[in-house]
Amino acid sequence: MRVLWVAVRAEPRAFTVSVLASALYAAMTVTTAQVLGWATEEVVLPAFRSGHTTAGALAGAATAIVGVAALKALGVAGRRFYAGLVQYRMQASYRRAVTRQYLRLPLAWHHRHPTGQLLSNANADVEATWAPLAPLPMAVGVVFMLLIAAASIIATDLAVAAVAFLIFPAIALINVAYQRRLSPVATRAQRLRAEVSEVAHESFEGGLVVKTLGREQDETERFRARAEELRDANVAVGRIRGMFDPVLEALPNLGVLAVLLIGSMRLDSGAMTAGDLVHVSYLFTLLAWPIRALGWVLAEVPRSVVGWERVRGVLDASGSLPFGDAALGEDKAAALEVRDVRFAFEGAAEGGGGGREVLHDVSFSAAPGRTVAVVGPTGSGKSTLTSLLVRLVDPADGSVLLDGVDLRDVRRGGVAASAALVPQQTFLFDDTVRGNVTLGLEVPDERVWEALRLAQADGFVAGLSDGLDTQVGERGATLSGGQRQRLALARALVRRPRLLVLDDATSSVDPQVEARILQGLREAQSAGDGSGVTVVVVAYRKATIGLADEVVYLERGRVTARGTHAELLETSEGYRDLVNAYERAEAEQEAEQQAEQEAGQEIERGAAGGGEEAVA
């Protein structure tokens, strides 16, 4: 009732109209039985006794019956329309609320919750929460109807009323037992719906891994197991409903038989008239279906409560990023400063004893228009640092400042307007090239092409079948890894950020193309109008690192060395070993590719020579 009261308070007018319409339907249902009883007593029986009737009597009976039916239809239409209005408004409102909460919550919260579960929260759980709203006004009207019917039956005959007072409480008790049996089973079915969504989403997201490692059968089996559990849970729900529904359907009909039996004896004794018997009997037949509306509401209540708890779990989640009122600059390259930053993932440590600390007292700065390369071995905290620089997460201690302003003090949307992150794992939508670059930003095509040229993507985009209007497929499936990375870079550049953070964002691009991209960024940094961009790049290639004004070397979450590339090669053994290892790995890879090409050319020459000998 607390859950349903939330909807009543949110939509009081529409709910009140639906209840009033349901009350009209209930009143007309009882009135229908009374009108039929009156017509039987005053029109039908006199016609049988005298052998004829008048047109006025028939017209009066027909008018009364049609008039009551019209009012009853008006009640049905009003109840259904406004009850549906309340239900769909609440579902839409809470879907938006859940989605807005997803946007407010930091990435750390999202990392702890599977995507399939989040989809289920926003869809199936919200739908289940407000499912009882459609039959609720009907159920309220039924209560009203039962009160009117009870008064009408008591006024007609006390003996027949005793039957009603046995049947109706019996229906109520069976409904209570029904809900107690159904509630835990429905709860489990709702939970399994989310689990099936989680498994399906993981399988789709990991489609490349599944296919390349031949895991199709295993994933099918994993999904089958969850799907069969959900099937069994739904079958259990259906089995319980199958046990109780026939009883709930039969009781009102048994009541009709009891009324006819007792009423016929009362009719023989002269204690009641034929019209009274028709009135009461027909009333029981009419009540058989509306009483089930109570069962429909109660049947949806367990799922509603479970759905509400899951939705509230999202809406009550803490950890959203607070915003201040400070504004950042708009034209010139940003000045970046990282002061004594510490960061730990929440609950990452085993045993639940706090999170694993990833960054320890990290400090460095980047002057406007300068390039800083962040270098470090795997697991040193480079990607975590890039998330902090664009405020996807906040540090546990210390601060990140743009233009001397702590990012936590910047107003909503301010950081996104000044800073852009291009991650290593790029994501493209199933949209056109233009749509993926602009993402809703209203910019002319000239500016899109400018960003594509700077990202060295204009050449391949111009060669596509429809240019900027070419559909790239889901996740950019029609493009290579390097092309996807260049489009992601163009997406950031078209916004003309003042701080550009590249998290190994050119790893899939050829070294020559990467050099041209970085040279273009260099030229943008030295723009004569005073604008430009400050660049922080996570890199491992010597060519990339060599273009940076300063290198920050991270090791185990700490800054162990800072300086130019040449300086660190001289002073930092760890840095020297790391970049030399990267260089050797690249050289070996290039040698292998060269050997494969030469072998292929040799095979082609041999095949051509063999063909000439055969001709001779």
Side-chain angles (χ1 to χ4, degrees):
M1 293 305 297
R2 284 196 300 270
V3 174
L4 297 177
W5 182 243
V6 172
V8 174
R9 285 185 300 174
E11 298 288 341
R13 293 184 180 179
F15 183 79
T16 300
V17 173
S18 67
V19 170
L20 291 176
S22 183
L24 175 63
Y25 163 78
M28 290 304 101
T29 299
V30 177
T31 304
T32 299
Q34 293 175 332
V35 167
L36 285 178
W38 168 82
T40 300
E41 192 66 31
E42 301 297 330
V43 179
V44 177
L45 291 180
F48 277 113
R49 284 195 293 266
S50 62
H52 69 278
T53 187
T54 64
L58 289 175
T63 300
I65 293 172
V66 171
V68 170
L71 290 174
K72 184 178 178 181
L74 181 63
V76 170
R79 170 180 57 79
R80 288 184 176 179
F81 177 81
Y82 284 99
L85 192 65
V86 173
Q87 181 185 32
Y88 296 134
R89 279 182 176 177
M90 292 303 295
Q91 288 178 348
S93 174
Y94 271 78
R95 282 196 179 101
R96 289 194 295 267
V98 169
T99 304
R100 284 194 298 268
Q101 180 72 341
Y102 287 162
L103 296 176
R104 282 193 294 265
L105 289 168
L107 281 181
W109 184 89
H110 285 272
H111 292 159
R112 298 194 301 270
H113 296 79
T115 305
Q117 177 183 324
L118 302 185
L119 292 172
S120 181
N121 291 149
N123 186 27
D125 292 333
V126 170
E127 186 175 323
T129 298
W130 305 119
L133 291 177
L136 180 61
M138 176 69 174
V140 174
V142 167
V143 174
F144 182 65
M145 181 191 304
L146 290 177
L147 294 175
I148 300 176
S152 177
I153 293 172
I154 290 173
T156 301
D157 190 90
L158 289 176
V160 174
V163 176
F165 293 144
L166 288 175
I167 294 294
F168 295 154
I171 293 175
L173 290 174
I174 291 174
N175 262 317
V176 170
Y178 175 34
Q179 299 315 312
R180 289 184 176 178
R181 290 284 302 276
L182 186 65
S183 180
V185 181
T187 299
R188 182 169 182 269
Q190 190 70 10
R191 176 179 57 80
L192 286 171
R193 283 187 181 91
E195 292 184 8
V196 169
S197 296
E198 290 171 20
V199 173
H201 185 268
E202 279 187 347
S203 295
F204 296 146
E205 286 291 291
L208 181 62
V209 175
V210 171
K211 288 187 174 296
T212 55
L213 297 182
R215 298 281 299 175
E216 294 94 339
Q217 188 60 39
D218 300 278
E219 284 300 297
T220 302
E221 181 64 25
R222 193 162 72 101
F223 184 81
R224 183 194 63 78
R226 285 289 187 275
E228 287 184 355
E229 286 186 52
L230 177 58
R231 177 203 63 194
D232 294 342
N234 286 331
V235 168
V237 170
R239 185 179 295 115
I240 294 173
R241 286 180 171 173
M243 290 170 55
F244 283 91
D245 280 356
V247 178
L248 292 171
E249 292 284 354
L251 277 177
N253 295 322
L254 292 174
V256 173
L257 294 176
V259 165
L260 290 174
L261 177 62
I262 296 174
S264 62
M265 293 187 292
R266 301 283 289 170
L267 188 63
D268 287 341
S269 65
M272 66 185 304
T273 65
D276 291 337
L277 181 57
V278 170
H279 163 213
V280 175
S281 301
Y282 187 66
L283 187 60
F284 263 82
T285 62
L286 290 180
L287 290 176
W289 181 78
I291 286 175
R292 292 295 295 119
L294 293 173
W296 296 335
V297 173
L298 294 174
E300 295 293 344
V301 162
R303 290 181 61 233
S304 174
V305 172
V306 174
W308 175 252
E309 291 174 350
R310 291 169 64 88
V311 169
R312 289 309 313 179
V314 174
L315 297 181
D316 295 338
S318 60
S320 59
L321 297 176
F323 295 93
D325 299 319
L328 296 173
E330 297 180 356
D331 298 325
K332 297 182 179 180
L336 172 69
E337 184 177 1
V338 179
R339 292 182 184 170
D340 302 321
V341 163
R342 293 177 58 253
F343 181 82
F345 288 109
E346 296 179 10
E350 295 182 5
R356 176 177 58 86
E357 194 165 79
V358 180
L359 298 175
H360 317 268
D361 302 320
V362 173
S363 297
F364 68 92
S365 61
R370 306 284 279 178
T371 298
V372 173
V374 178
V375 182
T378 302
S380 59
K382 303 186 298 296
S383 293
T384 301
L385 178 60
T386 62
S387 297
L388 289 165
L389 298 183
V390 294
R391 211 195 172 202
L392 293 178
V393 292
D394 279 336
D397 287 310
S399 55
V400 179
L401 300 93
L402 280 184
D403 301 329
V405 180
D406 192 320
L407 296 187
R408 286 170 289 207
D409 298 329
V410 178
R411 64 190 178 191
R412 183 184 295 273
V415 176
S418 294
L421 168 66
V422 185
Q424 180 181 4
Q425 300 297 327
T426 57
F427 184 91
L428 297 184
F429 294 88
D430 188 6
D431 198 352
T432 62
V433 171
R434 180 190 291 103
N436 271 286
V437 172
T438 62
L439 286 186
L441 186 68
E442 295 294 335
V443 294
D445 284 355
E446 291 78 9
R447 187 164 159 185
V448 174
W449 282 111
E450 179 186 343
L452 290 171
R453 280 192 294 273
L454 194 53
Q456 297 296 307
D458 56 321
F460 81 80
V461 171
L464 296 175
S465 58
D466 296 316
L468 292 178
D469 295 315
T470 303
Q471 292 282 337
V472 301
E474 186 176 4
R475 291 180 167 271
T478 61
L479 303 177
S480 69
Q483 290 171 335
R484 289 195 293 268
Q485 281 194 333
R486 280 179 275 173
L487 283 188
L489 179 58
R491 175 192 295 165
L493 294 173
V494 80
R495 284 155 173 77
R496 294 178 177 170
R498 302 171 56 241
L499 171 65
L500 179 63
V501 182
L502 306 177
D503 183 9
D504 203 9
T506 54
S507 59
S508 298
V509 177
D510 293 337
Q512 296 83 357
V513 175
E514 182 188 37
R516 292 198 296 270
I517 292 173
L518 295 174
Q519 185 58 39
L521 291 176
R522 271 291 196 189
E523 294 173 0
Q525 286 174 318
S526 58
D529 58 0
S531 64
V533 59
T534 303
V535 179
V536 176
V537 54
V538 173
Y540 66 90
R541 288 172 175 167
K542 269 190 178 181
T544 307
I545 300 169
L547 292 173
D549 299 300
E550 185 181 23
V551 178
V552 174
Y553 180 57
L554 280 180
E555 194 169 9
R556 296 182 180 179
R558 299 181 185 275
V559 176
T560 59
R562 288 178 59 186
T564 65
H565 173 56
E567 290 172 349
L568 294 192
L569 286 176
E570 293 291 334
T571 60
S572 175
E573 182 180 356
Y575 174 79
R576 183 171 57 251
D577 292 342
L578 181 66
V579 295
N580 287 336
Y582 282 144
E583 189 175 35
R584 284 194 300 271
E586 276 198 322
E588 290 173 1
Q589 185 177 5
E590 291 177 3
E592 289 177 2
Q593 293 175 350
Q594 182 66 26
E596 289 176 0
Q597 291 176 358
E598 292 177 356
Q601 293 171 359
E602 185 67 29
I603 292 173
E604 290 176 0
R605 285 195 296 269
E612 292 174 358
E613 290 179 3
V615 171

